[in-house]
Structures are given as C-alpha cells and as structure tokens.
Amino acid sequence: MPSSACNPTISFAFLLVFFAAVSLYVNQLHLQDLPTVKHAHLQSFLTDGNAQQDDDVETATEYTASNFSLAGLSCERWGGPSDEASQEMVYWSDIPEDNRHISPFYRPNQFLTFEPDNGGWNNIRMAMETVLALAFAMGRTLVLPPEKEFYLLTAKHHQGQQQRKHFSFAHFFNMRAIHEEHAGLSIISMSEFLSEHVMKGQFVDRATGQATFPPGNRTEWDGVPPAEMDELFRWLRKVAHVAPWNPEKCLAAFPTERDNDTNLRELELKMKNNPPHWEDYVDNPVPVDAPAVDRLAENWAERDSLCIYDTEMQHSPLVHFSGDHKLGARLLVHFYAFLFMEDWKQDLWGKRFIRDHVRYIDSIQCAAARVVQAIRHRVRSKESSEGGEFDSFHIRRGDFQYKKTRVEASQILQQAQKKIKDGATVYIATDERDKSYFKPLMEHFDVVFLDDFMDELQGINSNYFGMIDQLVASRGRVFFGCWFSTFSSYIMRLRGYHENKRKLPGYDHGISNSWYYVLEDRFDHMQHYYPVKKVFYAREFPTSWRLIDFHTGVP
C-alpha cells in the first residue's frame, strides 16, 4: 500500500477526536455566556449587601466566590458568638452539585424584572423568594428593583444613631454570593440593567415595536419617591412580557425541556376533567420522586389551570411580574406552592436553592446567635441545666387585620400550658409594645423579649430586629405561632429545615414540634402532613422542607 493511502482505523480515530473537539468547543462557547453575565458590574448592588450600618460597609472585593461561601457561618467579624455556638443557627447545607445546575431554558441576555410587594416584610420576602425561584426556573438574569422604603422598615435612628432606611434585597440576603455561587442564576441591579442593556437600544415598546428607554432616560432610581418608582414600573410593563399569573387560580408550570409543553397540557386536562381533592393527601404525601401527574394532583389546591412557561414566554427577552393585586398578579404565595416542575429533580433543587442560599445575611444570623446563647446562659444559670433549653412564641398584635387572632393573654396561656411546663423560660417575639399585656404568661413562665438583650445588638440596624426575632424564636424547643401570620409561618419553615436536617421524630412526614395558639381549631396542624392548600400565605407547608435532600447523598 502506498505511504499516502488512508488507514481506516486511523481515520476513524481521527474523526472521533475531531468531533469530540468540536463538541467541547461548542460547549465552551455556551459556558462562556455565563461568566460574561456573572462578573459584569457587580459593584452597583453588592458593595453593602452585608452592611450592619452605613459606616460598616463591606467592599465588593471582600466577598468573592473564592473567600466566601453561603454554606458556612462564622461570626468572628460580627462580634461573636464562637463558631461552635453559631453552628446551631445553620439549617442549610452545602451541595456543590446544586451550584452547577442550569435551567434547560437558560439563554444569555434574557431578563426578569419585578415589583416588590407593598405589604409587610414577610409578604415582601415571600414574593421575593417566589421571584428568585422563577428566575432560576426560567434561566433568566434577575434584575433587582431599586432601593426603596419597605413598609414598617423605616426607622431612621436607633439609640441616637442614624441608620439606613432605604433597602435593596441585597441588604437582607447576600445576593452577591447567590449570584457568584450559581452557574445558572445571575443577579444584577436595576441601574446596571438600564445603563448596560436598555440604554443601548436592546428593548422595544411591545405596542409600537420602537426602541424605548426609561422615563427621562434615567438609569438611577434608588430611593426615589413612590410616585416616581411607579413611573418606572409602568414603563417596564410596556416593554416586557407581563406575566399576569394569579397564584390563586393557576400553578406556574415548567416543562422538562424548552419548546415542548405537550405533557403539561395533557396533565392540565386530566386535572380539569377529574379535579383532585387536597383532603385526600392529609397525612398521605406522595413520594417526592412520584410521577408528575401524582405530584400535580397533590399540589393542585383547587386551582383552575396551569400557567405554562410556554414557547412565547421562553423567547421573550424580558418577563415582568407586576405584583399588582388589581391585575390579579400579587405574588402573595410561597414559592413551592406556586411553581410546579414536570421534572421532580428540578422541583427538589428549587426547594434546596431557597433553603441553602436565600438566607438572612451573616450579621443578622450572628446577632440572633448571640441572643440565643444569652438565653441559654440564662436558663443554665437558673436551672443548672447543661442544655439551656427554652421555648418560644410569636404573638401577633399591632396592625394585624385578622381580628379573631387578637385574643387575651389568658387564652394564650391555656394553650401554652398544654405543652410548656410552669417555670420554663419562654422567649416571645412580638409587635405588642405594652408588656403588661403578657402578665398572665409572666405569672407562670420566665418570659423574655428581644428588648432584654440589647447589649447583644450593639451596632445593628433596628430595622433588622424583626428578622432577628424570627431566628431566635426558631430555636425554641416548642414554638407557638399565630395562624394567618406570615411572620409566624416563616419561623415554622425555619424549624422544619432544622428538624429535617437533624432527622427529628416525624421529619419524614414534615412534622414539627410547633403549634398554633390561635386559631383554636388549628392548634395541632403542624402535627400532621397537610398538602398545599388555600389560603396559601396563612401557614407554611411541609412540602417545602420534607425530604428535599432526596437523591443528593446529604446525610
């Protein structure tokens, strides 16, 4: 054979190598899309996301992917407690494989904007969690709204010191770390979105098809009056594909792959033809890896339809959630009660994402840890007990619209004595300023409040005290909450995370050592598995924490 002849074996091997190289190159091109977004102009919204106060601002270079992880909690820089003591606050897990997860709908330069809820903090947080989950499920870059005053978080001074009262979500959750740790989720500020994308003519008015720009060509909107902020949001509604998804009427549903929602359409038809009943799932949860039809039936919650992330939405460069209740689009719903994933692994990943990464910043966690340690020290000195166990309450008073929850303290005492022994130390998180209201409880328990631990909260913005209250109350041996209160509900979920992590009795059914002091007929609801049902915000549901580490290898 002439030396120039082609050897078939060598040619075949060459082709294998060639196609492997091409495949690797194409894959790298896709992956290169991510860093382009991930590291662009982070400074604008991430410089002070962990700031305790305005003169203690962390620079953008202090927290990077290489020297900070959401997985841990070290309180050394925040005034203690010790790393050993602070670990009891940790309910989250570090699952590196989760950080590499990318939505099947991911495309670069697709964005999601939203309007924050106008209610109290926990309504705001609930809607924000839902939007974060939506952004990841869609594979879109999340655009944070401008800084603004949040309802009831407006204290300008504390102990004679001036403090921040305009907030971005980056002041409560470490958005930089969430952004940097996840290959499939990018987060930018509104100012970056407007200056780097909109002002370059990348978006058009959906009605006219003409390039459009923000009102007055303005790119900086932090701290503007509400009327001006509304002007920005009205403009976004004209530019974006507005998703008027009403959580009361539909489930936000995501198919397994892009441009193919046939299976979801068939599932929707089955639900409509034979509507499932939530009562069938009380103490009878379906497996977390059950077929989509079974999981959908359990989560249907008497809704009318699916709001499917269809081909039109998948190809829209900008999706906007208005949150306007007048449009039927207020996201007053837990993320897991609204999003439905055809793929069960995507469902569990979304639940772990919120648990493991969307947590209060370290300065808030550590302040709560110091208070918890102070309470335990108090108990140990009083009882000569090594454990230092205490019980906890959230008693909602204030401006709460549900008048039937405003009961006398003597009635709360009757409920408490079913589970808490006389003389026990009880921590009460509350918005009731008149402490004489609690006299019946004080006659039977060693009652303490956050006010009793101000020495542990030096330098902390008082607008964070509600979050600290929640974290402290979550560590009680027994917890009593208020039905309808989203403040109480979040404490219940935090406790569910802790109990699932520690595999306490009943964890496999999502059962928690938590109770309701009101309403009376809801006293023991947390002792049973309840599926998601209306009214969604009235309580948290075990599906948000029950067995969500399935198949991850997390012990």
Side-chain angles (χ1 to χ4, degrees), residues 26-39:
V26 171
N27 189 48
Q28 287 300 315
L29 285 179
H30 169 72
L31 293 177
Q32 285 170 8
D33 288 332
L34 293 170
T36 301
V37 178
K38 301 300 274 184
H39 300 293

Side-chain angles (χ1 to χ4, degrees), residues 122-339:
N122 284 282
N123 294 351
I124 296 168
R125 172 196 51 75
M126 187 191 314
M128 187 276 298
E129 287 181 339
T130 298
V131 170
L132 267 169
L134 285 166
F136 180 81
M138 295 178 179
R140 292 178 177 270
T141 294
L142 178 65
V143 181
L144 293 180
E147 292 182 14
K148 59 169 286 186
E149 286 188 358
F150 289 139
Y151 177 60
L152 297 181
L153 300 182
T154 57
K156 295 188 289 187
H157 298 88
H158 179 62
Q159 296 181 340
Q161 299 295 316
Q162 189 172 355
Q163 61 184 14
R164 173 184 292 278
K165 72 182 186 90
H166 288 97
F167 294 98
S168 164
F169 288 107
H171 292 106
F172 304 97
F173 305 95
N174 198 313
M175 292 298 183
R176 175 176 187 138
I178 296 171
H179 166 94
E180 290 199 350
E181 287 190 4
H182 289 86
L185 178 64
S186 293
I187 306 173
I188 62 175
S189 67
M190 181 63 72
S191 60
E192 179 184 341
F193 172 66
L194 296 176
S195 61
E196 297 298 320
H197 300 278
V198 176
M199 294 304 293
K200 293 180 179 179
Q202 296 179 13
F203 293 89
V204 300
D205 187 302
R206 288 175 64 86
T208 67
Q210 300 297 311
T212 184
F213 303 94
N217 290 337
R218 183 177 185 173
T219 59
E220 296 293 339
W221 294 79
D222 285 347
V224 303
E228 293 183 35
M229 194 76 76
D230 288 343
E231 192 178 351
L232 172 65
F233 291 144
R234 284 194 296 271
W235 173 79
L236 282 168
R237 295 178 195 178
K238 293 180 180 180
V239 179
H241 180 120
V242 177
W245 292 354
N246 185 338
E248 294 289 315
K249 296 181 178 180
C250 74
L251 275 161
F254 294 84
T256 300
E257 58 186 11
R258 70 166 54 246
D259 299 325
N260 184 3
D261 57 22
T262 302
N263 290 343
L264 287 178
R265 301 288 180 190
E266 293 175 355
L267 289 175
E268 180 182 40
L269 188 60
K270 287 182 179 180
M271 297 301 116
K272 289 182 176 181
N273 290 339
N274 187 22
H277 303 286
W278 64 263
E279 295 90 345
D280 294 339
Y281 300 96
V282 175
D283 290 330
N284 185 33
V286 302
V288 295
D289 61 344
V293 64
D294 296 330
R295 292 184 293 108
L296 181 58
E298 181 182 318
N299 288 278
W300 189 250
E302 301 177 323
R303 283 175 273 213
D304 303 327
S305 62
L306 296 180
C307 287
I308 297 175
Y309 189 53
D310 58 17
T311 297
E312 180 186 357
M313 285 189 72
Q314 291 171 29
H315 290 269
S316 297
L318 177 62
V319 170
H320 181 74
F321 285 87
S322 73
D324 189 339
H325 72 279
K326 295 178 183 177
L327 301 176
R330 188 182 182 192
L331 296 178
L332 192 59
V333 63
H334 307 299
F335 69 95
Y336 57 86
F338 185 39
L339 276 71

Side-chain angles (χ1 to χ4, degrees), residues 419-481:
K419 297 296 171 183
I420 302 175
K421 64 181 181 180
D422 276 19
T425 296
V426 173
Y427 178 86
I428 298 179
T430 185
D431 55 354
E432 176 60 68
R433 297 297 93 193
D434 181 6
K435 294 300 193 295
S436 66
Y437 167 81
F438 300 100
K439 185 178 178 182
L441 292 163
M442 293 174 173
E443 289 174 350
H444 290 266
F445 305 127
D446 173 32
V447 174
V448 293
F449 305 91
L450 191 65
D451 298 352
D452 297 319
F453 302 97
M454 286 296 108
D455 287 348
E456 307 296 342
L457 303 177
Q458 295 299 314
I460 298 293
N461 189 316
S462 64
N463 290 304
Y464 289 159
F465 285 0
M467 299 94 186
I468 295 169
D469 248 347
Q470 287 179 308
L471 293 172
V472 175
S474 75
R475 302 308 300 128
R477 178 187 65 91
V478 170
F479 172 70
F480 278 87

Side-chain angles (χ1 to χ4, degrees), residues 390-393 419-420 473 475-480 495 513-515:
F390 64 96
D391 301 305
S392 56
F393 267 86
K419 297 296 171 183
I420 302 175
R475 302 308 300 128
R477 178 187 65 91
V478 170
F479 172 70
F480 278 87
R495 291 173 62 80
N513 193 10
S514 302
W515 312 79

Side-chain angles (χ1 to χ4, degrees), residues 22-81:
V22 170
S23 176
L24 179 62
Y25 174 71
V26 171
N27 189 48
Q28 287 300 315
L29 285 179
H30 169 72
L31 293 177
Q32 285 170 8
D33 288 332
L34 293 170
T36 301
V37 178
K38 301 300 274 184
H39 300 293
H41 308 292
L42 294 175
Q43 185 90 12
S44 58
F45 78 96
L46 298 163
T47 6
D48 54 354
N50 249 300
Q52 283 185 226
Q53 53 191 29
D54 288 345
D55 59 358
D56 185 20
V57 174
E58 299 177 4
T59 66
T61 56
E62 282 187 86
Y63 275 167
T64 66
S66 61
N67 66 13
F68 177 76
S69 170
L70 282 164
L73 180 62
S74 177
C75 294
E76 181 179 357
R77 69 173 297 175
W78 303 113

Side-chain angles (χ1 to χ4, degrees), residues 486-504:
T486 52
F487 189 108
S488 283
S489 295
Y490 189 51
I491 296 171
M492 299 281 193
R493 172 148 49 104
L494 296 178
R495 291 173 62 80
Y497 288 150
H498 279 290
E499 288 158 351
N500 186 66
K501 188 180 184 76
R502 291 160 177 76
K503 293 183 170 49
L504 299 182

